[in-house]
Amino acid sequence: MTLRRGVQSDADAIRAGVLRESMNPLGLDPTRFVVAVDDARGGEIVGFGQLKPWETLSDRPKDDVVGQLVRLMNLTPNWSGELLELASLVVTKERRGRGVGTAVARRLVMDAKSATGEGATETAPPTLCLLTLRSTIPFYERLGFQEIVSPEYVPRPLQAELALGRIVARLARNDECVAMKMDWEML
């Protein structure tokens, strides 16, 4: 198995995998993905995941209407640094339990740790969060994530997706959607 950056030609496979798993199909830019391919099977995609950046709307210019609204409503960030979401982690059913998901997730965590946004001057790692099913919490805990128990600590951009995810998780998987945050000190 090899890990590589996603390319535009991966878009259909990524979209199909995300839909098959009843995940959020929005924001699937293949270039943000790490893709696991099976070299013995001609480069067949066996897993993938992405780091999705979230814009800090309150940082928009003073004349930007959206930025003005966000500041007026006091919706400034409830996180520090750049906000990234580890999202769309999918492994084909026949390759589950063989380390593919762990390899992709670890690579994304390391990419996040070394990421700095354009023009960023801070050296602290970004806030790295994810939304997942309660049944998968142990997997992410092994990678250094902790459940965000209090709703006020879920980064605002993820709150609406979490609310919708709770409905979808209940209907599609009979599970609960939860938010988790990377504890960089655990690494």
Side-chain angles (χ1 to χ4, degrees), residues 53 59 82 84 114-122:
D59 288 347
E82 183 179 10
L84 297 172
S114 64
T116 51
E118 273 185 51
T121 57
E122 53 198 57

Side-chain angles (χ1 to χ4, degrees), residues 119-134:
T121 57
E122 53 198 57
T123 56
T127 296
L128 178 59
C129 294
L130 60 87
L131 301 178
T132 193
L133 299 173
R134 180 159 300 286

Side-chain angles (χ1 to χ4, degrees), residues 81-101:
E82 183 179 10
L83 176 60
L84 297 172
E85 178 187 5
L86 191 153
S88 313
L89 184 62
V90 174
V91 175
T92 59
K93 288 188 182 192
E94 55 277 355
R95 293 301 292 264
R96 290 183 185 163
R98 297 184 185 175
V100 174

